[in-house]
Amino acid sequence: MKHLISTKNIDIKTLNDIFQLADYYKKEQQSNILSRKIIASIFYEPSTRTRLSFEAAALKLGAKIISTENASQFSSAAKGETLEDTIKIVSSYTDLIVLRHFEKGASKKAITVSAVPIINAGDGTGEHPTQAILDAYTIYNALKALNNLKIALVGDLLNGRTIHSLLILLSLYKNNTIYLVSPKELKLPNANKKILSNKKIKFMESENLKNILPKIDLLYMTRIQKERFKSAKDFEKVKNVYRLTKKMVSTMKKSSIVMHPLPRINEIAKEVDSDSRAAYFRQAQNGLFVRMAILELLLKKF
Ligand code: NCD
């Protein structure tokens, strides 16, 4: 693995290697293994967890960071420079680039000109592979398996890149049943559904969340991606379509978990946070250890 731009290139063995290393860093917290490396984080879209956990992960491994948190405004993109030119230059200063961009396929473009590994930290409505890996790690830790699960993915399945990457990972495992819960305007794109059917993964589409809550092991809520809507009116129609309350969580199995890549807006009421099934803050923290593992594995060969 040279770059990480999609979960399509990840197999179960790679995933297990990442999990093992993440477990190690969860205990050890620190190392000096990347002390001679410089990592660039270039973000053309807002981020809290992804950028800061990547930067913290790099620092905890002894690397140095150069960073632009608002590249659309503060890099030469504002003067009209192409992404390819920017990446070509930054890759000549650094050992790895973490890239978030508003355009689907941006990291695919970036790898054509980069001399160093690229990590896709979100490309528009495309993918967000490191989020999916930390999600899989969280599921494995909480439920002790990534197979034989009943899973509901809820919210903006059309635009949610975390969902797109996670479904690819879930389809590596046997005997999962997936409920795709969304309003009809925000259904999972056909191309993503095809990945599931090609792997013979059982899935069902529904608009109703309440009915399936008692059946599932994992509830993965997502934010309606306001920034992807063409009109404010279209967003208004669906913005509060699903809101998970404590009462709804009480209908779920005791052993089940609730996840969310965050930020949450209205999808999960604050009162759910104290329920033992709420796993979203643990999930965000796992991002640090998983990203440490990913940085180490990508940079070891360089
Ligand atoms: C997600 C993203 O950027 O795709 N956030 C994250 O990285 N944790 C989800 C979102 O913004 O809704």
Side-chain angles (χ1 to χ4, degrees):
M1 192 165 67
K2 185 174 173 202
H3 305 283
L4 179 50
I5 62 163
S6 163
T7 45
K8 282 187 189 127
N9 314 317
I10 297 202
D11 55 16
I12 292 182
K13 153 111 185 36
T14 310
L15 213 48
N16 286 338
D17 289 347
I18 297 172
F19 290 2
Q20 219 174 36
L21 205 50
D23 279 344
Y24 170 79
Y25 282 123
K26 203 174 208 169
K27 277 200 230 95
E28 288 304 313
Q29 296 285 329
Q30 210 108 341
S31 138
N32 244 334
I33 191 151
L34 301 186
S35 63
R36 302 170 80 89
K37 304 290 184 189
I38 297 179
I39 289 170
S41 75
I42 307 182
F43 279 61
Y44 291 81
E45 275 194 336
S47 167
T48 299
R49 277 149 290 271
T50 306
R51 188 174 65 83
L52 296 178
S53 68
F54 256 119
E55 295 191 5
L59 293 170
K60 277 174 175 283
L61 295 172
K64 293 169 189 74
I65 294 278
I66 55 172
S67 159
T68 165
E69 62 178 347
N70 185 350
S72 295
Q73 217 179 323
F74 295 128
S75 77
S76 286
K79 301 178 187 168
E81 185 171 60
T82 63
L83 175 67
E84 284 93 331
D85 281 1
T86 303
I87 295 295
K88 203 171 188 156
I89 300 304
V90 177
S91 88
S92 72
Y93 301 155
T94 59
D95 300 287
L96 181 145
I97 298 172
V98 181
L99 174 69
R100 170 168 288 188
H101 199 276
F102 47 84
E103 197 181 289
K104 185 175 172 180
S107 32
K108 220 174 186 170
K109 265 190 201 166
I111 64 172
T112 63
V113 291
S114 179
V116 300
I118 298 280
I119 296 179
N120 176 7
D123 62 324
T125 59
E127 281 208 44
H128 192 351
T130 63
Q131 178 70 43
I133 297 170
L134 77 90
D135 291 344
Y137 179 72
T138 305
I139 298 168
Y140 187 72
N141 270 289
L143 302 175
K144 305 293 167 234
L146 281 158
N147 55 1
N148 300 320
L149 299 175
K150 292 195 165 47
I151 299 166
L153 302 172
V154 181
D156 191 345
L157 309 184
L158 174 66
N159 300 304
R161 55 195 174 198
T162 73
I163 294 276
H164 301 162
S165 287
L166 181 58
L167 276 172
I168 298 170
L169 290 186
L170 291 173
S171 70
L172 293 173
Y173 295 88
K174 296 246 168 347
N175 210 21
N176 289 321
T177 305
I178 298 182
Y179 299 92
L180 300 170
V181 183
S182 74
K184 53 183 179 317
E185 299 88 336
L186 301 176
K187 275 161 79 165
L188 188 73
N190 286 335
N192 301 70
K193 273 186 230 163
K194 206 157 162 215
I195 297 173
L196 296 177
S197 33
N198 284 348
K199 292 274 183 71
K200 303 203 166 33
I201 306 294
K202 262 185 282 163
F203 69 92
M204 274 130 279
E205 295 182 285
S206 161
E207 288 184 45
N208 189 307
L209 175 58
K210 278 193 183 141
N211 292 350
I212 55 165
L213 289 177
K215 298 190 234 180
I216 54 176
D217 304 295
L218 164 63
L219 173 61
Y220 190 102
M221 300 293 292
T222 64
R223 177 178 70 88
I224 307 296
Q225 309 276 299
K226 183 179 180 184
E227 65 277 30
R228 313 286 178 216
F229 281 73
K230 289 200 182 78
S231 82
K233 208 170 119 227
D234 289 348
F235 172 66
E236 287 301 316
K237 257 200 276 175
V238 287
K239 71 171 184 192
N240 290 325
V241 59
Y242 302 111
R243 179 171 161 79
L244 188 71
T245 61
K246 212 175 162 119
K247 195 159 157 233
M248 288 161 78
V249 174
S250 71
T251 68
M252 293 172 62
K253 292 188 214 167
K254 261 281 159 224
S255 59
S256 65
I257 55 168
V258 179
M259 291 172 59
H260 191 307
L262 303 177
R264 70 168 150 186
I265 311 304
N266 291 317
E267 313 80 60
I268 303 179
K270 205 174 170 328
E271 61 182 17
V272 177
D273 296 0
S274 55
D275 192 285
S276 60
R277 284 161 282 209
Y280 31 93
F281 293 120
R282 267 182 284 147
Q283 177 187 357
Q285 207 206 359
N286 283 337
L288 176 63
F289 312 120
V290 167
R291 290 184 170 119
M292 288 174 84
I294 291 170
L295 287 176
E296 174 174 335
L297 290 172
L298 279 174
L299 278 169
K300 232 168 44 180
K301 293 181 209 100
F302 275 78

